[in-house]
């Protein structure tokens, strides 16, 4: 078995981001401990005594910062995913208290559904079995279906919930079909064993110049189901309507927490399960990323509703994050995690300003509602300016550093054309984000009273502001956090 494995690596048939456990290091590959050392594998949740190599990104070194006994069963990625979910949930709860009072919908089940969604996201980030991952995904999704229609007396909210439910159920069926194909191909629901089997299968088929249509079908169905969850083109249709109709704190929660947890699941499956067949899907993911950048930025240009604009811009941000996965190197994966951290805080900060604008009788999510915000509430206007500049990728904010890491990863992985396309799309993004700033800073105020900010909202906005600026001015702790999530020791 050892000799066969080395022969395979020497032919350079193994993808760039995948490493063999037994083979010696080759250019672009990392040696992984042999079967004899499998019981002490350095990455988390790895099955002991595994007989075949586990697909892993080349970025992940052999001595991660965790886990050490007695915490070996819990991975760095699990901890990072759980912390992200709980942090987002806490911020949304702070933003929801006054909002629900204004809507006269202060009910206990609202917070119970938030916690259920949080639990589902933790399962998505920490699970290593397809069944657990699927249960976590559906726990999150079902909670969001209810929360998006929580304003029962508003037709917009009811419409958003219905669209989300119908399209979400369709995507769930596709994803479940993809999972069933993976089980049928490998006879296991463990992502480690599935990855081992698919890795050997792809090498066997590719070495004979054939196409494995079952493997292709399983990837396409799994990718389609996950692309819906992250609102990537062409599975993005639900996002603008749901963001606009859902309660604004829930729109922020779906945009931030749901997307972060879904990306955690997507990256785990693409790297650990389909990592051995990267040449098969790299072009497809790059196409989806460029399509998301194109449609998200162009559609956002004509929006007059802030929540719809943030929905379309979030589609564009999905394109940037997917490009980090296309690069597939250490910089790309680090940039992906860093971008998710930056995106979470600057987006929730932008939504928080919209929530502050919500007053009795005033919804506060139209551009006209922003007019003269600087004169009515200078602090809110300054915060909105910072978050918009960060979303556009202007230094010295976290959004700029996130895009920098993605562009650097594309250049290092010899994708200069993709880097140029991604950089050019900053121009339309800057235009529609500055439209928001113009309304807040240079338009004359209307008849709306000055928005009031509660202590809870101030805490949430302060946390979002701190991370947005700190990650841009001093990114090293946040890149270390990204390395921690990937299990890389520096």
């Amino acid at each position: 078995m050892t000799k066969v494995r080395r022969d395979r690596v020497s032919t350079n048939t193994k993808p760039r981001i995948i490493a063999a456990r037994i083979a010696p290091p080759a250019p672009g590959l990392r040696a992984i401990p042999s079967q004899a050392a499998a019981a002490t594998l350095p990455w988390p949740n790895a099955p002991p005594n595994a007989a075949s190599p586990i697909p892993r990104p080349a970025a992940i070194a052999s001595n991660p910062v965790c886990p050490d006994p007695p915490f070996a069963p819990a991975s760095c990625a699990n901890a990072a995913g759980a912390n992200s979910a709980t942090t987002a949930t806490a911020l949304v709860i702070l933003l929801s208290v006054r909002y629900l009072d204004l809507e006269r919908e202060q009910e206990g089940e609202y917070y119970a559904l938030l916690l259920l969604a949080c639990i589902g996201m933790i399962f998505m980030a920490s699970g290593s079995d397809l069944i657990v991952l699927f249960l976590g995904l559906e726990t999150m999704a079902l909670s969001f279906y209810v929360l998006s229609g929580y304003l029962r007396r508003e037709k917009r909210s009811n419409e958003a919930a219905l669209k989300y439910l119908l399209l979400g159920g369709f995507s769930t069926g596709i994803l479940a079909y993809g999972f069933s194909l993976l089980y049928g191909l490998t006879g296991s629901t463990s992502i480690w064993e599935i990855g081992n089997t698919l890795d050997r299968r792809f090498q066997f088929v590719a070495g004979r110049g054939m196409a494995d249509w079952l493997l292709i079908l399983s990837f396409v169905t799994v990718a389609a189901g996950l692309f819906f969850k992250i609102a990537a083109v062409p599975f993005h249709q639900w996002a603008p309507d749901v963001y606009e109709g859902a309660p604004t704190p829930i729109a922020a929660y779906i945009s931030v927490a749901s997307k972060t947890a879904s990306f955690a699941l997507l990256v785990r499956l693409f790297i650990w399960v389909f990592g051995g067949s990267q040449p098969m899907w790299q072009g497809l993911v790059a196409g989806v990323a460029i399509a998301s950048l194109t449609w998200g930025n162009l559609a956002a240009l004509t929006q007059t509703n802030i929540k719809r604009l943030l929905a379309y811009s979030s589609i564009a941000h999905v394109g940037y994050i997917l490009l980090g996965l296309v690069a597939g190197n250490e910089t790309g994966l680090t940039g992906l995690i860093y971008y998710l951290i930056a995106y979470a805080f600057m987006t929730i900060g932008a939504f928080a300003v919209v929530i502050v604008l919500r007053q009795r009788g005033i919804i506060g999510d139209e551009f006209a509602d922003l007019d003269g915000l600087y004169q009515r509430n200078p602090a809110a206007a300054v915060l909105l300016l910072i978050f918009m500049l960060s979303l556009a990728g202007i230094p010295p904010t976290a959004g700029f550093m996130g895009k920098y890491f993605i562009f650097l990863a594309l250049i290092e992985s010899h994708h200069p054309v993709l880097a140029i396309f991604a950089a050019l799309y900053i121009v339309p993004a800057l235009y529609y984000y500055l439209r928001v700033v113009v309304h807040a800073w240079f338009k004359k105020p209307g008849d709306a009273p000055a928005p009031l900010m509660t202590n809870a909202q101030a805490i949430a906005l302060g946390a979002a502001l701190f991370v947005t600026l700190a990650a841009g001015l001093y990114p090293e702790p946040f890149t270390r956090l990204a390395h921690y999530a990937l299990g890389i020791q520096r």
Side-chain angles (χ1 to χ4, degrees):
M1 290 300 294
T2 302
K3 183 177 180 181
V4 173
R5 195 63 189 171
R6 286 177 175 170
D7 290 341
R8 287 180 180 175
V9 174
S10 65
T11 59
N12 291 327
T13 59
K14 203 166 181 61
R16 165 173 53 84
I17 64 169
I18 306 305
R21 175 179 300 155
I22 302 175
L29 300 177
R30 171 184 64 83
I32 300 181
S34 63
Q35 180 180 353
T40 58
L41 288 174
W43 53 81
N45 288 343
N49 304 320
S52 57
I54 293 178
R56 293 287 289 178
I60 298 179
S62 58
N63 294 312
V65 294
C66 73
D68 293 325
F71 304 106
S75 71
C76 302
N78 298 353
N83 290 338
S84 299
T86 52
T87 301
T89 304
L91 292 177
V92 169
I93 289 175
L94 291 174
L95 295 172
S96 297
V97 177
R98 179 173 179 268
Y99 183 91
L100 294 180
D101 288 338
L102 292 174
E103 297 290 349
R104 297 185 177 91
E105 294 284 358
Q106 191 69 266
E107 304 291 345
E109 58 265 24
Y110 177 89
Y111 301 101
L113 289 169
L114 285 177
L115 295 178
L116 281 175
C118 180
I119 293 172
M121 288 183 279
I122 292 174
F123 283 157
M124 291 169 63
S126 60
S128 61
D129 187 275
L130 292 182
I131 297 175
V132 174
L133 295 174
F134 188 79
L135 289 176
L137 181 67
E138 286 310 294
T139 300
M140 178 195 74
L142 291 173
S143 300
F144 283 148
Y145 298 154
V146 179
L147 288 170
S148 60
Y150 191 76
L151 303 180
R152 293 161 290 181
R153 291 182 290 271
E154 289 194 12
K155 291 183 179 180
R156 281 198 316 176
S157 186
N158 297 333
E159 179 185 355
L162 183 60
K163 289 182 178 180
Y164 199 12
L165 173 63
L166 293 177
L167 294 176
F170 182 70
S171 70
T172 296
I174 296 176
L175 182 63
Y177 181 61
F179 281 2
S180 68
L181 285 174
L182 291 178
Y183 176 74
L185 288 172
T186 62
S188 174
T189 58
S190 168
I191 62 173
W192 312 110
E193 296 179 12
I194 293 173
N196 295 339
T197 304
L198 293 185
D199 181 33
R200 296 194 300 269
R201 180 187 178 100
F202 177 79
Q203 291 189 28
F204 177 82
V205 174
R208 285 153 181 78
M210 300 183 295
D212 191 341
W213 293 107
L214 280 177
L215 178 58
I216 294 173
L217 180 61
S218 65
F219 172 80
V220 169
T221 50
V222 169
L226 293 176
F227 285 160
F228 174 88
K229 301 301 181 184
I230 63 174
V233 173
F235 306 98
H236 65 284
Q237 297 91 339
W238 61 273
D241 292 331
V242 172
Y243 283 32
E244 182 182 14
T248 306
I250 299 305
Y253 199 39
I254 294 174
S255 178
V256 172
S258 172
K259 195 156 294 185
T260 303
S262 298
F263 260 111
L265 175 58
L266 182 146
V267 171
R268 286 163 67 85
L269 292 180
F270 276 34
I271 297 300
W272 273 270
V273 174
F274 296 108
S277 55
Q278 189 209 16
M280 176 187 73
W281 53 259
Q282 189 178 46
L284 174 63
V285 176
V288 171
I290 294 298
S292 300
L293 282 169
T294 303
W295 182 254
N297 282 306
L298 296 182
L301 291 173
T302 60
Q303 301 304 314
T304 59
N305 183 282
I306 305 171
K307 290 163 71 174
R308 290 186 71 88
L309 182 144
L310 291 174
Y312 281 112
S313 72
S314 73
I315 296 171
H317 288 293
V318 166
Y320 284 112
I321 297 171
L322 286 176
L323 288 177
L325 185 62
V326 171
N329 52 14
E330 178 180 334
T331 305
L333 295 175
T334 301
L336 188 154
I337 302 297
Y338 182 97
Y339 202 112
L340 282 173
I341 297 172
Y343 169 82
F345 283 92
M346 60 191 181
T347 300
I348 207 167
F351 274 106
V353 175
V354 179
I355 294 171
V356 170
L357 293 175
R358 176 70 172 97
Q359 300 180 68
R360 189 78 67 190
I362 301 175
I363 297 178
D365 58 5
E366 297 291 337
F367 277 21
D369 297 324
L370 287 171
D371 290 350
L373 179 61
Y374 178 72
Q375 300 178 37
R376 295 185 286 141
N377 191 323
V382 171
L383 290 171
L384 183 64
L385 172 63
I386 294 173
F387 295 134
M388 291 296 112
L389 292 178
S390 183
L391 287 167
I394 303 301
T397 60
F400 168 77
M401 292 304 303
K403 288 181 173 62
Y404 166 77
F405 285 125
I406 298 298
F407 298 159
L408 179 61
L410 291 172
I411 293 172
E412 289 179 349
S413 59
H414 308 292
H415 293 99
V417 176
L418 292 178
I420 292 173
F421 268 104
L424 289 176
Y425 278 119
I426 294 178
V427 177
L430 186 61
Y431 170 77
Y432 59 74
Y433 285 129
L434 287 182
R435 284 181 62 208
V436 177
V437 175
V438 167
H439 277 270
W441 282 71
F442 301 108
K443 296 287 186 178
K444 294 182 179 179
D447 298 330
L452 300 177
M453 188 182 304
T454 65
N455 292 333
Q457 292 171 342
I459 293 173
L461 279 165
L465 175 66
F466 173 78
V467 175
T468 300
L469 292 179
L473 294 170
Y474 187 51
E476 184 177 356
F478 298 91
T479 58
R480 288 181 179 177
L481 180 61
H483 291 154
Y484 177 85
L486 292 169
I488 302 173
Q489 184 174 10
R490 288 294 187 180

